[in-house]
Amino acid sequence: MGKEIVAMLLAGGQGSRLYALTQKLAKPAVPFGGKYRIIDFPLSNCVNSGIDTVGVLTQYQPFVLNEYIGNGQPWDLDRLYGGVHVLPPYQRASGSDWYKGTANAIYQNISFIERYDPEYVIILSGDQICKQDYSEFLAFHKAKGAEFSVAVMEVPWEEASRFGLMVTDENDKITEFQEKPKEPKSNLASMGIYIFNWDILKKYLEEDEADPNSENDFGNNIIPNLLRDKRQMYAFRFDGYWKDVGTIPSLWEANMEVLDPEHSGINLFDENWKIYSRNSGMTGHYVSGDALIQNSMVTDGCRIKGTVKHSILFAGVVIEQGAVVEDAVIMGGTVIKSGAHVKHCIIAEDVTIGENAIIGDEPEDGGVGDVATIASYVTIGAGAKIGPKAMVYESVKEGEEQW
């Protein structure tokens, strides 16, 4: 029996603008919000929306991501028929190919989709923080009699030229597509989330693959070809929380917004739309009598004896007595030793910050500004100083400075 809809989740992103954080990690596997990874959001959206068949297309540094997804049990996607499947590039009789573009990635997995014979395919991004009910999107697609629909958000006109834009008529039918135009005709930015009728998607994927001049990309090739052929194309206006966390400042800012659910639009405490994740298996966190914690999220297994203000601590973080952490994102397993001061930064997993070290600083303008960033498994020596603009890939010796 066929499925009504199958989700294809593009999770092969290198995340090059996250620099040290994605040196050995696919962008969708980057930790977020204390106990999650970025990919938890689209996977949770799928199961909350009634979509039980998901193909996850991986490519860059996939080991942690593949291990994390496992059999899909944390998201209730461990099904006998359907469930979640990791789909890396693979060897064929004619040779093997890396995924050459977003459209080519789906093309290479046509056989996976055909196995479930769906009416519709939803294509998702594995590197955005978004809470969205895809069933509402599908209902819109059906009601319009669409062959292709794209989720869009209104962005400020002064920022519109940074996005792929959908120009629509009064019925939300797409009449034109502009890719990062100098003179925007619309402020409806594509979120990179698409619903296709499967027969239409398959036809255009096969035509695109046969074109030797194609970039094999949805934005540059598939969507313009649909417009050329005057297909039924509609824009679904989304007004919930959505953020592309593709840069260090945007990732830091989105984590800080988790601490202000009433105003930021992202509420991880919403019982009606839970975001599921793989359990760390650690004990509850411990806070000593000398510790001070204000306006922060503290996750399983943390041991806190110092001061933590307006920060997010992932599983197993240790803050020793006399250490101060403020406006920071501290990922799992990191140890911050006595007397260290850590401010306005992102520290990746399993880092050691030595005694009396100083990491980062508040930006002068009071905004997001520069965010000091330290890669996984790095050791910062005692008394070392890491400036607010630093991007640290390797260990820093005792007393050294890096700006």
Side-chain angles (χ1 to χ4, degrees):
M1 187 176 74
K3 298 281 187 180
E4 180 181 34
I5 186 167
V6 166
M8 299 296 280
L9 178 50
L10 296 166
Q14 184 172 350
S16 57
R17 292 179 299 158
L18 290 178
Y19 302 103
L21 299 181
T22 51
Q23 187 180 19
K24 300 177 181 177
L25 195 66
K27 184 177 170 184
V30 169
F32 178 85
K35 62 176 295 183
Y36 309 99
R37 294 184 187 268
I38 293 172
I39 199 166
D40 285 326
F41 287 80
L43 287 177
S44 298
N45 288 341
C46 283
V47 72
N48 288 334
S49 303
I51 298 173
D52 65 5
T53 305
V54 185
V56 180
L57 285 68
T58 62
Q59 180 154 286
Y60 172 79
Q61 295 281 11
F63 175 73
V64 172
L65 186 62
N66 295 355
E67 182 181 58
Y68 183 73
I69 294 170
N71 68 352
Q73 185 272 332
W75 307 274
D76 192 29
L77 289 170
D78 51 337
R79 309 293 179 94
L80 289 174
Y81 181 60
V84 65
H85 298 262
V86 175
L87 303 171
Y90 59 90
Q91 184 79 31
R92 294 169 178 74
S94 59
S96 60
D97 270 327
W98 288 108
Y99 295 145
K100 293 178 285 188
T102 53
N104 174 259
I106 305 298
Y107 171 82
Q108 288 197 40
N109 289 284
I110 283 177
S111 60
F112 169 80
I113 301 172
E114 287 188 321
R115 179 179 174 189
Y116 298 102
D117 190 27
E119 293 181 61
Y120 308 101
V121 174
I122 184 167
I123 295 171
L124 306 171
S125 171
D127 52 13
Q128 302 169 348
I129 303 299
C130 177
K131 293 177 72 177
Q132 181 178 12
D133 187 345
Y134 302 140
S135 66
E136 292 180 355
F137 187 13
L138 180 59
F140 168 89
H141 180 86
K142 292 177 181 177
K144 291 293 187 181
E147 296 171 308
F148 164 83
S149 297
V150 55
V152 297
M153 282 195 77
E154 290 191 15
V155 297
W157 277 95
E158 60 271 19
E159 296 181 19
S161 60
R162 294 174 42 220
F163 297 92
L165 304 172
M166 300 296 166
V167 183
T168 64
D169 65 14
E170 64 277 7
N171 295 315
D172 292 320
K173 187 172 185 179
I174 298 167
T175 59
E176 189 177 345
F177 172 63
Q178 294 184 296
E179 181 66 39
K180 299 180 181 178
K182 291 183 179 179
E183 297 182 6
K185 297 181 182 179
S186 166
N187 68 335
L188 296 177
S190 169
M191 296 166 59
I193 299 174
Y194 314 123
I195 291 179
F196 283 88
N197 294 359
W198 170 227
D199 58 341
I200 295 294
L201 176 58
K202 183 179 177 182
K203 167 184 165 62
Y204 280 83
L205 288 176
E206 289 174 342
E207 289 179 0
D208 179 70
E209 192 66 22
D211 179 0
N213 298 316
S214 176
E215 297 172 52
N216 306 122
D217 183 76
F218 279 102
N220 292 330
N221 304 107
I222 301 292
I223 294 174
N225 290 346
L226 291 164
L227 272 168
R228 175 199 66 199
D229 295 345
K230 296 182 170 53
R231 291 292 181 178
Q232 296 298 310
M233 305 170 64
Y234 286 86
F236 174 73
R237 296 170 186 253
F238 176 68
D239 60 0
Y241 185 89
W242 175 77
K243 195 151 199 165
D244 182 345
V245 288
T247 65
I248 293 292
S250 66
L251 179 63
W252 178 88
E253 188 173 42
N255 273 281
M256 294 298 103
E257 287 172 344
V258 166
L259 299 174
D260 187 20
E262 293 182 8
H263 302 100
S264 67
I266 181 168
N267 181 8
L268 298 183
F269 305 95
D270 183 0
E271 289 295 318
N272 296 317
W273 198 269
K274 290 183 179 180
I275 303 300
Y276 301 95
S277 67
R278 188 167 291 284
N279 194 313
S280 71
M282 293 185 179
T283 62
H285 60 264
Y286 167 78
V287 179
S288 78
D290 298 326
L292 171 65
I293 303 176
Q294 295 178 344
N295 191 26
S296 296
M297 183 174 284
V298 179
T299 319
D300 316 351
C302 290
R303 298 288 180 267
I304 304 171
K305 297 181 179 180
T307 297
V308 180
K309 297 181 179 179
H310 195 249
S311 295
I312 290 183
L313 273 54
F314 289 71
V317 167
V318 175
I319 312 294
E320 292 187 356
Q321 190 167 11
V324 177
V325 175
E326 189 171 356
D327 295 331
V329 178
I330 314 295
M331 296 181 183
T334 287
V335 176
I336 299 178
K337 292 188 174 291
S338 176
H341 280 240
V342 174
K343 184 177 284 191
H344 198 84
C345 61
I346 298 177
I347 298 179
E349 297 170 286
D350 299 302
V351 170
T352 300
I353 307 296
E355 293 183 3
N356 301 312
I358 296 175
I359 314 293
D361 200 357
E362 288 294 329
E364 295 178 2
D365 61 2
V368 175
D370 296 303
V371 180
T373 306
I374 298 176
S376 299
Y377 306 108
V378 163
T379 297
I380 305 297
K385 292 184 178 180
I386 306 299
K389 297 184 179 182
M391 182 69 57
V392 181
Y393 292 89
E394 306 289 344
S395 293
V396 176
K397 294 180 180 179
E398 181 176 334
E400 284 190 354
E401 297 187 5
Q402 188 164 326
W403 297 85

